[in-house]
Amino acid sequence: MEEKRAKSYVIAIIILLCIALCVASILVAIRIINNIKGELFSYSYPNSSKVGYYAEYLGTIDRNLPEISNEGLQKYPVYGVTLSATDTEKQAILDENNYLLASSATYDSIDENGNLYLNGQKVVNRKLYKHSASIGMYEGDIKDDEPAIIKKITIKSRSGGNHITGLYAPAGEVIKIEMSQDDFDTTGGLVVQIGQVLTNGDANNIWLARDFCRMPIIVNTMTTKTAVAYVGSYFGGPIYISPINKGTTFTVTISGGVPYSHFILGYTTIQEFTMNQNTSAPYFDLEVWDDGVRHSGPKSRVTQYTYGDLYNAAILWDKIALVSNQVPAGSGGDIGINFLYDPFVAAGAMVAFVGRHTVNCPLECLTVALDYDSAVTNASGNFWGCIHEFNHHYQRFGFTRTPTDILKHVLFFVYTPYSLCLSPCRFAKFSYEVNGRKYCLNNKI
């Protein structure tokens, strides 16, 4: 009997010890949770934008450096420098420029060796090369020893426009575009653009009557016809892609491009940004995804900005876009607006290509547009000029083109840390200055 009672005591003690151990474990767990409370779901990169983009860097690939050549003219424009030329000389440059671009009359595909094809037939004595006018393009050059990479990108495509790859095609070098057959069938193929381009795919072309401060057309557009295809450009440039069937999700692997500096709000990490910033590729893109905005131009204009600076600038432009694109617009708010910073400006000091989702600005405005500290303390006239042109895309509010219509697009200016609506009195005093030319509302003064 005593033996049974002793066993019961032992069992009871064991049970009590187990209970005590469980309670202690629970208390410790609660303390741990309390200590890390606020960190479990806290990400160091807060952002409200949607990003339908994901990329993997798969390694490097050898580059085949092309010959530097041209079609034999006496002079060619240099990027950012006004060419002194007669109309006859300029027309010859225009003709050569068109000869070097893909079209239904020149070539529509390239093989892995850079040979050109048209309608499946090899074009006799035509091969991709690095044009002499590509030297200094976008205020820089890719070093010969800069490695090319293989990059796998998955994109949930928008209803229009193009998508950043973060890769730069060196002039005269072949780029491989590879998809699964399923993704090729789903997308119908990809439109690949190499070079600075308007959102709707148009070139920011220079015509005969204007000064040539670069080659007249610097974007080459090709469409993939098979799951594995090759593209290239005589002038080089950033690579953008878009599916034939808009709104589809697809994965593409691009080989042969050089990473260039870019910042996608809500996606780009400081590690990736630093890696890409340190390459010799001369281009830069900052993008607020989906119905936001993109700033696109030479990297030399933004090298002073840190990752944190660009993050602040992206948040500022996110807020600007989130207000402006809530109203009926001349450019659909579901695509976003692309700021192209270019030595050539098609009209005035800056111009909004309404319906084509693009603003064309001079090169110096890229620095100003991304200067967050100045923008929120004492914004320059150039900064307000960018805002002014941006809001031309969002001034269709059931009005006709009247002063009231123009007033509406200013009423949607946004300024961090607060939203600023300009009254008619304030609006009457609004002006900005670019390159010594002053503008008030839509009129030069």
Side-chain angles (χ1 to χ4, degrees):
M1 189 71 175
E2 290 296 330
E3 185 179 347
K4 288 185 179 179
R5 186 176 298 169
K7 287 183 178 180
S8 298
Y9 287 151
V10 171
I11 293 172
I13 291 171
I14 292 173
I15 292 173
L16 289 173
L17 287 174
C18 291
I19 293 172
L21 182 61
C22 291
V23 171
S25 299
I26 293 171
L27 291 174
V28 170
I30 291 172
R31 177 170 292 184
I32 292 172
I33 292 171
N34 286 334
N35 286 339
I36 63 174
K37 187 177 181 181
E39 297 179 4
L40 284 175
F41 305 104
S42 176
Y43 186 45
S44 61
Y45 198 136
N47 172 58
S48 60
S49 297
K50 297 183 295 183
V51 179
Y53 176 96
Y54 174 77
E56 298 175 70
Y57 294 81
L58 303 182
T60 60
I61 187 172
D62 291 337
R63 290 170 57 197
N64 294 315
L65 300 182
E67 65 169 331
I68 301 175
S69 187
N70 55 53
E71 297 301 313
L73 299 181
Q74 294 300 308
K75 59 176 67 175
Y76 294 95
V78 175
Y79 188 88
V81 179
T82 300
L83 178 70
S84 176
T86 65
D87 281 355
T88 300
E89 291 171 324
K90 289 161 68 178
Q91 185 59 57
I93 292 170
L94 283 166
D95 292 342
E96 179 174 321
N97 199 164
N98 289 328
Y99 177 72
L100 299 172
L101 301 176
S103 72
S104 59
T106 54
Y107 63 94
D108 55 18
S109 60
I110 297 175
D111 68 18
E112 64 270 26
N113 298 312
N115 298 303
L116 309 188
Y117 291 77
L118 180 63
N119 299 323
Q121 300 297 314
K122 187 175 180 180
V123 181
V124 179
N125 297 325
R126 294 282 323 261
K127 191 171 183 177
L128 193 64
Y129 62 78
K130 179 179 180 178
H131 197 282
S132 58
S134 70
I135 297 172
M137 189 69 72
Y138 306 115
E139 301 186 323
D141 294 292
I142 291 181
K143 296 177 181 178
D144 287 348
D145 61 354
E146 187 77 59
I149 68 166
I150 304 169
K151 188 175 182 180
K152 185 177 181 180
I153 306 170
T154 299
I155 292 175
K156 181 179 180 181
S157 66
R158 294 178 284 248
S159 61
N162 57 47
H163 300 82
I164 291 174
T165 66
L167 294 172
Y168 191 100
E173 299 184 30
V174 176
I175 305 297
K176 183 179 181 181
I177 308 293
E178 188 173 8
M179 309 174 73
S180 69
Q181 189 62 49
D182 286 345
D183 277 359
F184 178 81
D185 293 340
T186 297
T187 60
L190 298 179
V191 176
V192 182
Q193 295 155 330
I194 299 176
Q196 194 175 57
V197 63
L198 274 65
T199 304
N200 72 331
D202 288 348
N204 190 27
N205 65 296
I206 308 176
W207 56 97
L208 183 64
R210 299 294 299 272
D211 289 334
F212 287 7
C213 52
R214 55 165 171 76
M215 287 298 281
I217 299 177
I218 53 177
V219 59
N220 196 35
T221 302
M222 303 182 71
T223 301
T224 62
K225 299 178 180 179
T226 55
V228 178
Y230 300 89
V231 298
S233 165
Y234 288 87
F235 305 111
I239 303 172
Y240 302 101
I241 56 177
S242 57
I244 298 293
N245 299 325
K246 308 300 183 185
T248 52
T249 297
F250 62 92
T251 297
V252 59
T253 300
I254 303 176
S255 305
V258 171
Y260 73 84
S261 184
H262 62 283
F263 182 100
I264 300 174
L265 181 61
Y267 179 80
T268 305
T269 64
I270 189 169
Q271 293 84 1
E272 182 184 10
F273 174 76
T274 301
M275 178 184 71
N276 293 330
Q277 186 185 40
N278 290 332
T279 74
S280 58
Y283 209 73
F284 173 80
D285 274 313
L286 178 145
E287 183 170 73
V288 177
W289 185 266
D290 200 26
D291 53 357
V293 62
R294 181 189 299 170
H295 294 273
S296 189
K299 181 175 74 172
S300 61
R301 301 288 172 157
V302 297
T303 53
Q304 67 271 48
Y305 296 135
T306 66
Y307 178 85
D309 293 333
L310 294 173
Y311 173 76
N312 288 335
I315 289 294
L316 170 62
W317 280 98
D318 193 14
K319 292 179 180 179
I320 293 169
L322 285 171
V323 170
S324 293
N325 64 27
Q326 297 304 308
V327 299
S331 295
D334 59 340
I335 296 176
I337 304 301
N338 187 4
F339 280 81
L340 292 186
Y341 299 91
D342 192 339
F344 172 72
V345 178
M350 307 177 189
V351 60
F353 296 126
V354 178
R356 294 189 283 175
H357 299 82
T358 305
V359 175
N360 178 200
C361 295
L363 292 174
E364 61 269 20
C365 286
L366 176 54
T367 308
V368 173
L370 300 184
D371 187 350
Y372 170 81
D373 290 334
S374 175
V376 299
T377 55
N378 186 24
S380 68
N382 279 1
F383 179 83
W384 282 114
C386 292
I387 300 291
H388 179 89
E389 298 300 335
F390 178 75
N391 279 283
H392 273 305
H393 292 274
Y394 303 106
Q395 70 185 63
R396 301 274 81 78
F397 195 39
F399 299 121
T400 57
R401 189 177 293 276
T402 66
T404 304
D405 187 21
I406 298 170
L407 171 61
K408 180 263 150 192
H409 97 268
V410 178
L411 291 176
F412 281 89
F413 280 6
V414 176
Y415 194 61
T416 301
Y418 52 86
S419 296
L420 174 62
C421 289
L422 301 178
S423 68
C425 178
R426 182 84 176 263
F427 176 77
K429 299 177 182 179
F430 176 76
S431 66
Y432 62 94
E433 182 174 348
V434 180
N435 293 336
R437 288 184 285 185
K438 278 193 165 185
Y439 287 76
C440 180
L441 312 187
N442 280 350
N443 303 312
K444 183 178 175 182
I445 59 173

